[in-house]
Amino acid sequence: MGCLLISVKLAVLRPTQMAVGYDEVEVKRSKWRALTPDGKAHFLESHPFPAVTGPGEQYFMIDGHHMGLALLREGVDAVSVRQVENLSKTTESEFFQVLQQRGFVYLREPTRRGLRVLPRTLRDLADDPYRSFVAQLRRNCACPKDRTPFAEFRWADFLRSRLKADLLRTDHAGAVKTAHKLLRSGFCKFTCSGCRCLEQAAL
């Protein structure tokens, strides 16, 4: 894995997923606003975004989409990018294939359309309320962030097929309780240190 840090304008960073949870983006915006100027500078210095360099020297971020969109909406111009891999010499079709092979891109449904299927900018990311819901569940349980690529989207897709979207709005408490039980049986079969998943499911 590379460690080269490069300054890149947020507006030109390419996403490798189709959506984010807008509510989760707002959570991150609130946390950003609460920082002092020095705190904001320190955050930007200490939190480079991992990215892969693709055709045309474009940078495709492979994590941190929520924070990236939050910073963009807060008027941040540029961020540091940690170059994970340089694939700028590949063709678009080769590059997209490598992204899929490495697990660097997340699409809910397989596609052969290549890079054109991905949003052009962070501002083009759609809203996925299930992704925000999963982030809230993780915080409520005091679960550490799962570093498996796109793990929380897989949780979201698991719940999407079992919880109706209307339930998230009309009976949020009931949706939370049901989701904890589903995740416990489907994903979190082993209690991690400090996790409150079991007690949340029992409420």
Side-chain angles (χ1 to χ4, degrees), residues 168-179:
L168 303 186
R169 298 187 297 269
T170 61
D171 184 11
H172 192 75
V176 168
K177 183 176 180 179
T178 300

Side-chain angles (χ1 to χ4, degrees), residues 43-56:
F43 180 88
L44 292 176
E45 290 172 5
S46 59
H47 289 79
F49 289 86
V52 177
T53 311

